[in-house]
CSV table of all heavy atoms in Angstrom, one decimal:
chain,number,residue,atom,x,y,z
A,53,MET,N,14.5,3.0,-6.8
A,53,MET,CA,14.6,1.8,-5.9
A,53,MET,C,13.5,0.8,-6.2
A,53,MET,O,13.4,-0.2,-5.5
A,53,MET,CB,14.6,2.3,-4.5
A,53,MET,CG,15.7,3.2,-4.1
A,53,MET,SD,16.0,3.2,-2.3
A,53,MET,CE,14.5,4.1,-1.8
A,54,GLY,N,12.7,1.0,-7.2
A,54,GLY,CA,11.8,0.0,-7.6
A,54,GLY,C,10.5,0.0,-6.7
A,54,GLY,O,9.8,-1.0,-6.8
A,55,HIS,N,10.3,1.0,-5.9
A,55,HIS,CA,9.1,1.0,-5.1
A,55,HIS,C,7.9,1.4,-5.9
A,55,HIS,O,6.8,1.0,-5.6
A,55,HIS,CB,9.2,2.0,-3.9
A,55,HIS,CG,10.2,1.8,-2.9
A,55,HIS,ND1,10.2,2.3,-1.6
A,55,HIS,CD2,11.4,1.0,-2.9
A,55,HIS,CE1,11.2,1.8,-0.9
A,55,HIS,NE2,11.9,1.1,-1.7
A,65,GLU,N,-4.4,11.7,-13.2
A,65,GLU,CA,-4.4,10.9,-14.4
A,65,GLU,C,-4.4,11.9,-15.6
A,65,GLU,O,-4.9,13.0,-15.5
A,65,GLU,CB,-5.7,10.1,-14.4
A,65,GLU,CG,-5.7,8.9,-13.4
A,65,GLU,CD,-7.0,8.1,-13.5
A,65,GLU,OE1,-7.2,7.4,-14.6
A,65,GLU,OE2,-7.7,8.0,-12.5
A,299,TYR,N,6.5,22.2,0.5
A,299,TYR,CA,5.3,22.7,1.1
A,299,TYR,C,5.1,24.2,0.8
A,299,TYR,O,4.0,24.7,0.6
A,299,TYR,CB,5.3,22.5,2.6
A,299,TYR,CG,5.5,21.1,3.0
A,299,TYR,CD1,6.7,20.7,3.7
A,299,TYR,CD2,4.6,20.1,2.7
A,299,TYR,CE1,6.9,19.4,4.0
A,299,TYR,CE2,4.8,18.8,3.0
A,299,TYR,CZ,5.9,18.4,3.7
A,299,TYR,OH,6.1,17.1,4.0
A,306,GLU,N,-0.8,28.4,-4.4
A,306,GLU,CA,-2.1,28.6,-3.8
A,306,GLU,C,-2.4,30.1,-3.7
A,306,GLU,O,-3.5,30.6,-4.1
A,306,GLU,CB,-2.1,28.0,-2.5
A,306,GLU,CG,-3.4,27.4,-2.0
A,306,GLU,CD,-3.1,26.5,-0.8
A,306,GLU,OE1,-2.6,27.0,0.3
A,306,GLU,OE2,-3.3,25.3,-0.9
A,320,GLN,N,1.5,35.0,3.4
A,320,GLN,CA,1.7,35.0,4.8
A,320,GLN,C,1.8,33.6,5.3
A,320,GLN,O,0.8,32.9,5.6
A,320,GLN,CB,0.5,35.6,5.5
A,320,GLN,CG,0.6,37.1,5.6
A,320,GLN,CD,-0.6,37.6,6.4
A,320,GLN,OE1,-1.8,37.2,6.1
A,320,GLN,NE2,-0.4,38.4,7.4
A,322,GLY,N,2.1,30.4,7.7
A,322,GLY,CA,1.8,30.2,9.1
A,322,GLY,C,3.0,29.6,9.8
A,322,GLY,O,4.2,29.9,9.5
A,327,SER,N,9.3,18.0,6.9
A,327,SER,CA,9.5,16.6,7.3
A,327,SER,C,10.5,16.0,6.3
A,327,SER,O,10.7,16.5,5.2
A,327,SER,CB,8.2,15.9,7.2
A,327,SER,OG,7.6,16.0,6.0
A,332,ASP,N,15.7,5.0,7.5
A,332,ASP,CA,14.5,4.4,8.1
A,332,ASP,C,13.8,5.3,9.1
A,332,ASP,O,12.8,4.9,9.7
A,332,ASP,CB,14.8,3.0,8.8
A,332,ASP,CG,15.4,2.1,7.8
A,332,ASP,OD1,14.8,1.9,6.7
A,332,ASP,OD2,16.5,1.5,8.1
A,384,LEU,N,4.2,13.1,15.0
A,384,LEU,CA,3.4,14.1,15.7
A,384,LEU,C,2.4,14.7,14.8
A,384,LEU,O,2.6,14.9,13.6
A,384,LEU,CB,4.3,15.1,16.3
A,384,LEU,CG,5.2,14.6,17.5
A,384,LEU,CD1,6.1,15.8,18.0
A,384,LEU,CD2,4.4,14.1,18.6
A,386,HIS,N,0.3,17.4,13.0
A,386,HIS,CA,0.5,18.8,12.5
A,386,HIS,C,-0.5,19.8,13.1
A,386,HIS,O,-0.1,20.8,13.6
A,386,HIS,CB,0.4,18.8,11.0
A,386,HIS,CG,0.9,20.1,10.4
A,386,HIS,ND1,0.9,20.2,9.0
A,386,HIS,CD2,1.2,21.2,10.9
A,386,HIS,CE1,1.3,21.5,8.7
A,386,HIS,NE2,1.5,22.1,9.8
A,414,GLU,N,-2.2,2.9,15.8
A,414,GLU,CA,-2.6,2.1,17.0
A,414,GLU,C,-1.6,1.1,17.3
A,414,GLU,O,-0.9,0.5,16.5
A,414,GLU,CB,-3.9,1.4,16.6
A,414,GLU,CG,-5.1,2.3,16.5
A,414,GLU,CD,-6.1,1.8,15.5
A,414,GLU,OE1,-5.7,1.1,14.6
A,414,GLU,OE2,-7.3,2.1,15.7
A,447,PHE,N,-1.6,-5.3,24.2
A,447,PHE,CA,-0.9,-5.6,22.9
A,447,PHE,C,0.2,-4.6,22.6
A,447,PHE,O,1.0,-4.8,21.7
A,447,PHE,CB,-1.9,-5.5,21.8
A,447,PHE,CG,-2.9,-6.6,21.8
A,447,PHE,CD1,-4.2,-6.3,22.0
A,447,PHE,CD2,-2.5,-7.9,21.7
A,447,PHE,CE1,-5.2,-7.3,22.0
A,447,PHE,CE2,-3.5,-8.9,21.7
A,447,PHE,CZ,-4.8,-8.6,21.9
B,142,LYS,N,10.4,-1.7,3.6
B,142,LYS,CA,11.1,-1.4,2.3
B,142,LYS,C,10.4,-2.2,1.2
B,142,LYS,O,10.2,-3.4,1.3
B,142,LYS,CB,12.6,-1.9,2.4
B,142,LYS,CG,13.4,-1.1,3.3
B,142,LYS,CD,14.1,0.0,2.5
B,142,LYS,CE,14.9,1.0,3.3
B,142,LYS,NZ,15.2,0.7,4.6
B,144,ASN,N,11.8,-2.3,-1.7
B,144,ASN,CA,12.9,-2.3,-2.7
B,144,ASN,C,12.7,-3.3,-3.8
B,144,ASN,O,12.5,-4.5,-3.6
B,144,ASN,CB,14.2,-2.6,-2.0
B,144,ASN,CG,14.8,-1.4,-1.2
B,144,ASN,OD1,14.3,-0.3,-1.4
B,144,ASN,ND2,15.7,-1.7,-0.4
B,145,GLY,N,12.8,-2.8,-5.1
B,145,GLY,CA,12.9,-3.6,-6.2
B,145,GLY,C,11.5,-4.2,-6.6
B,145,GLY,O,11.5,-5.1,-7.5
B,147,PHE,N,9.0,-3.2,-8.3
B,147,PHE,CA,8.6,-3.0,-9.7
B,147,PHE,C,9.7,-3.4,-10.7
B,147,PHE,O,9.6,-3.2,-11.9
B,147,PHE,CB,8.2,-1.5,-10.0
B,147,PHE,CG,6.8,-1.3,-9.5
B,147,PHE,CD1,6.5,-0.7,-8.2
B,147,PHE,CD2,5.7,-1.7,-10.2
B,147,PHE,CE1,5.2,-0.6,-7.8
B,147,PHE,CE2,4.4,-1.6,-9.8
B,147,PHE,CZ,4.2,-1.0,-8.6
B,227,LYS,N,3.9,-2.5,14.8
B,227,LYS,CA,3.1,-3.2,15.7
B,227,LYS,C,1.7,-3.5,15.0
B,227,LYS,O,1.1,-4.6,15.2
B,227,LYS,CB,2.9,-2.5,17.0
B,227,LYS,CG,2.5,-3.3,18.1
B,227,LYS,CD,3.5,-4.2,18.7
B,227,LYS,CE,2.9,-5.1,19.8
B,227,LYS,NZ,3.9,-6.0,20.4
B,312,ARG,N,-12.6,-2.9,8.8
B,312,ARG,CA,-11.3,-3.6,8.9
B,312,ARG,C,-11.4,-4.7,10.0
B,312,ARG,O,-10.7,-5.7,9.9
B,312,ARG,CB,-10.2,-2.6,9.3
B,312,ARG,CG,-10.5,-1.8,10.6
B,312,ARG,CD,-9.3,-0.9,10.8
B,312,ARG,NE,-9.6,0.1,11.9
B,312,ARG,CZ,-8.7,0.7,12.6
B,312,ARG,NH1,-7.5,0.4,12.5
B,312,ARG,NH2,-9.1,1.5,13.6
B,340,LEU,N,-9.8,6.2,-11.9
B,340,LEU,CA,-11.2,6.5,-11.6
B,340,LEU,C,-12.1,5.6,-12.3
B,340,LEU,O,-13.2,5.2,-11.7
B,340,LEU,CB,-11.4,8.0,-12.1
B,340,LEU,CG,-12.7,8.6,-11.6
B,340,LEU,CD1,-12.6,8.9,-10.1
B,340,LEU,CD2,-13.0,9.9,-12.3
B,437,ASN,N,-2.1,13.9,8.1
B,437,ASN,CA,-1.4,14.8,9.0
B,437,ASN,C,-1.2,16.2,8.4
B,437,ASN,O,-0.2,16.5,7.9
B,437,ASN,CB,0.0,14.2,9.3
B,437,ASN,CG,0.5,14.7,10.7
B,437,ASN,OD1,-0.1,15.5,11.3
B,437,ASN,ND2,1.7,14.3,11.0
B,440,GLN,N,1.4,17.8,5.7
B,440,GLN,CA,2.7,17.1,5.5
B,440,GLN,C,2.9,16.2,4.3
B,440,GLN,O,3.9,15.7,4.1
B,440,GLN,CB,3.0,16.3,6.8
B,440,GLN,CG,3.3,17.1,8.0
B,440,GLN,CD,4.7,17.6,8.2
B,440,GLN,OE1,5.4,17.6,7.2
B,440,GLN,NE2,5.1,18.0,9.3
B,450,TYR,N,0.6,1.3,-3.0
B,450,TYR,CA,0.5,0.1,-2.2
B,450,TYR,C,-0.9,-0.1,-1.6
B,450,TYR,O,-1.1,-1.0,-0.7
B,450,TYR,CB,1.6,0.1,-1.1
B,450,TYR,CG,2.9,-0.2,-1.8
B,450,TYR,CD1,3.7,0.8,-2.3
B,450,TYR,CD2,3.3,-1.5,-2.1
B,450,TYR,CE1,4.9,0.6,-3.0
B,450,TYR,CE2,4.4,-1.8,-2.8
B,450,TYR,CZ,5.2,-0.8,-3.3
B,450,TYR,OH,6.4,-1.0,-4.0
B,484,ARG,N,6.5,10.3,5.2
B,484,ARG,CA,6.4,11.5,5.9
B,484,ARG,C,5.4,11.4,7.1
B,484,ARG,O,5.1,12.4,7.7
B,484,ARG,CB,5.9,12.6,5.0
B,484,ARG,CG,6.9,13.0,3.9
B,484,ARG,CD,8.2,13.6,4.5
B,484,ARG,NE,9.1,14.0,3.4
B,484,ARG,CZ,10.0,13.3,2.9
B,484,ARG,NH1,10.1,12.0,3.3
B,484,ARG,NH2,10.8,13.7,1.9
B,506,GLY,N,-0.9,25.7,7.4
B,506,GLY,CA,0.5,26.2,7.1
B,506,GLY,C,0.4,27.5,6.2
B,506,GLY,O,1.4,28.2,6.1
B,508,ASP,N,-1.3,31.0,5.9
B,508,ASP,CA,-2.3,32.0,6.5
B,508,ASP,C,-2.7,33.1,5.5
B,508,ASP,O,-3.4,34.0,5.9
B,508,ASP,CB,-1.6,32.7,7.7
B,508,ASP,CG,-1.5,31.7,8.9
B,508,ASP,OD1,-2.1,30.6,8.8
B,508,ASP,OD2,-0.7,32.0,9.8
B,509,SER,N,-2.2,33.0,4.3
B,509,SER,CA,-2.5,34.1,3.3
B,509,SER,C,-4.0,34.1,3.1
B,509,SER,O,-4.5,35.2,2.8
B,509,SER,CB,-1.8,33.8,2.0
B,509,SER,OG,-0.5,33.4,2.2
Side-chain angles (χ1 to χ4, degrees):
Chain A
M53 298 198 294
H55 294 203
E65 289 182 66
Y299 308 115
E306 213 166 62
Q320 273 185 311
S327 59
D332 301 312
L384 290 178
H386 188 177
E414 290 149 331
F447 294 116
Chain B
K142 290 267 173 15
N144 282 348
F147 281 98
K227 198 78 183 179
R312 57 180 170 156
L340 192 68
N437 202 3
Q440 292 274 17
Y450 287 91
R484 295 292 183 272
D508 290 347
S509 319

